[in-house]
Amino acid sequence: MTNYAQTMTRDHELGGGAAMTAIAAMIAALFAGSTVLTPLYVIYKQDFGFSQITLTLVYAVYVVGNLAALLLFGRLSDAIGRRPAALAAMAVAIVSALFFLFAQNVVWLDVARILSGLGIGVGAGTGTAWLSELIEGEDKSRAATIATSTNFIGLGVGALVSGLLAEYEPWPLRLVFAVYLAVLVLITLTIWRTRETVARPGRLSDVSIEPRLSVPASIRAGFVAPALTGFGAMALVGFYAALAPSILAQQLHVTNHAEAGGLFFELSIVAAITIVVTTWLSSRSTLLAALALMIPAVALVVAAQVYASMVLMIVATAVCGAAAALGYRGGLQVVNQIAPADRRAEVVSAFFICCFCGNALPVIGIGVLSNWTNPTMASLAFAGMITLFSLVALAFGAKFAR
């Protein structure tokens, strides 16, 4: 009877292409949750009556969840299995969406953002490892390509759908999260049926939550270029996710929420396409190309604000999307290559922390500067920081990132 039940369970599990599609959908859906707010920040700012600094803090607090996932639960799926860890991540995402749906003030938004970051941190790592194990053959780079491209697709679709619903349908702060909840539940049911790849999953009590983070002295000089590149790449994404709608409304006089969501959708789709079509580039070439693109990218963003030009903003967004994609992928590839095999997880974790800090800290700085000066001066300071980091990283990359 037991053998019959086990056979029936295996027969009803998703494997192969269906399993990979389910996991890719999970990654995309989790990341979509982080940008659903992008077109809504302006509405929340008006309805809840908070400042630009508070807006940037609501965006940045998401990183608290990311860091908790990375430092405390990074090895969760290795211990208990891919499917249980993925289901836990989806459960956290569902709770996050419920907080958004019933949000009454900024505290609700902060809690929802932290939970969203936690779910993404656990789910993305689990999903990437799961894809790698489902792909037949020795070439596992395909798993990273699928994971990173669906990451950006999810980010873009989340912002676009949110903007469309906020602009053209009723209840702009409620309807989108009701739709998002339905999508999460559907994907959770699919993940529940997806084949497990960990042969002998353990128990939750076996999971160590002791943080481990370091960069060996022998590779620290070589680590500078990918770390700064990852910081800059995610800073560009954070700038658009948190601040682009406010810039469109205040300086370009574009108040359509669908256009705000569409702008971030453009950045994300350009990034996803860039990841797929540049797989032939070496890791070092990818990293250096990203650094070279970052400087004109931020210059175009500032120019779009100075001249109040939507055309320039669209061009700037495309360049930023390509730079962010190349910087994230190239930095991660270089780190994987220079890290000692027995300490690779620690070094990669250090790289991700640089990315998370890049995603949050510059956004907070821009919010503070916007209150002291004006949005254009704040963006100019942001452009100066990205340019400086790019030049330093180019110098280190040319010498050490081999």
Side-chain angles (χ1 to χ4, degrees):
M1 186 70 178
T2 302
N3 289 337
Y4 175 77
Q6 290 174 342
T7 301
M8 287 294 292
T9 301
R10 285 194 295 270
D11 288 344
H12 285 79
E13 285 182 343
L14 298 178
M20 291 170 60
T21 300
I23 296 164
M26 178 191 73
I27 294 172
L30 286 171
F31 276 100
S34 72
T35 54
V36 165
L37 254 69
T38 295
L40 306 181
Y41 281 122
V42 175
I43 305 175
Y44 278 120
K45 189 177 175 183
Q46 294 170 348
D47 285 10
F48 290 178
F50 54 72
S51 67
Q52 187 74 0
I53 295 176
T54 302
L55 185 156
T56 56
L57 289 174
V58 169
Y59 174 81
V61 76
Y62 155 86
V63 175
V64 173
N66 287 151
L67 292 175
L70 181 64
L71 295 175
L72 302 180
F73 303 111
R75 297 178 293 279
L76 180 66
S77 70
D78 291 334
I80 69 172
R82 308 300 181 208
R83 183 163 53 194
L87 290 173
M90 294 301 290
V92 171
I94 287 171
V95 175
S96 169
L98 286 170
F99 268 90
F100 281 128
L101 179 61
F102 298 109
Q104 301 296 318
N105 52 46
V106 173
V107 175
W108 286 67
L109 296 180
D110 285 336
V111 173
R113 287 287 290 168
I114 291 171
L115 289 174
S116 177
L118 179 62
I120 288 170
V122 173
T126 299
T128 303
W130 208 351
L131 284 170
S132 180
E133 291 159 354
L134 285 168
I135 291 174
E136 298 178 358
E138 296 182 359
D139 182 14
K140 302 300 183 183
S141 62
R142 186 178 164 207
T145 300
I146 294 172
T148 52
S149 58
T150 52
N151 165 344
F152 279 107
I153 290 171
L155 292 173
V157 171
L160 179 63
V161 172
S162 176
L164 289 169
L165 292 177
E167 184 65 28
Y168 300 114
E169 297 298 332
W171 315 299
L173 300 182
R174 307 292 181 211
L175 180 60
V176 63
F177 294 110
V179 172
Y180 183 53
L181 271 170
V183 171
L184 288 176
V185 170
L186 179 62
I187 292 175
T188 300
L189 293 174
T190 308
I191 289 296
W192 182 66
R193 294 185 55 212
T194 302
R195 179 169 64 86
E196 177 62 73
T197 54
V198 174
R200 294 182 178 179
R203 295 171 299 178
L204 189 60
S205 58
D206 299 330
V207 179
S208 170
I209 60 172
E210 178 185 354
R212 293 190 303 183
L213 181 68
S214 65
V215 178
S218 60
I219 65 165
R220 282 175 191 164
F223 182 79
V224 171
L228 289 178
T229 306
F231 184 100
M234 290 300 102
L236 293 175
V237 174
F239 177 88
Y240 271 85
L243 301 169
S246 296
I247 290 171
L248 289 181
Q250 295 170 12
Q251 296 177 274
L252 276 67
H253 311 295
V254 176
T255 57
N256 186 300
H257 303 302
E259 290 188 44
L263 193 70
F264 193 85
F265 178 77
E266 178 201 347
L267 179 135
S268 300
I269 293 304
V270 169
I273 292 172
T274 301
I275 287 172
V276 172
V277 303
T278 60
T279 52
W280 55 274
L281 278 176
S282 69
S283 56
R284 184 166 178 264
S285 297
T286 303
L287 182 141
L288 295 177
L291 292 170
L293 278 176
M294 284 182 190
I295 297 173
V298 290
L300 283 167
V301 169
V302 174
Q305 291 178 247
V306 170
Y307 295 105
S309 169
M310 192 62 186
V311 173
L312 276 177
M313 184 58 82
I314 291 171
V315 174
T317 302
V319 180
C320 284
L326 293 172
Y328 179 71
R329 184 169 68 82
L332 182 57
Q333 285 179 328
V334 168
V335 165
N336 269 315
Q337 289 170 356
I338 66 174
D342 60 338
R343 300 183 67 180
R344 181 167 287 118
E346 295 175 61
V347 177
V348 170
S349 294
F351 171 77
F352 282 139
I353 285 181
C354 293
C355 292
F356 294 152
C357 290
N359 194 239
L361 296 181
V363 167
I364 296 173
I366 294 170
V368 173
L369 283 175
S370 294
N371 272 20
W372 287 350
T373 58
N374 59 67
T376 302
M377 290 302 296
S379 295
L380 189 60
F382 173 74
M385 180 204 72
I386 293 292
T387 300
L388 178 62
F389 277 29
S390 298
L391 292 174
V392 172
L394 278 168
F396 274 86
K399 185 173 182 181
F400 295 106
R402 299 186 182 281

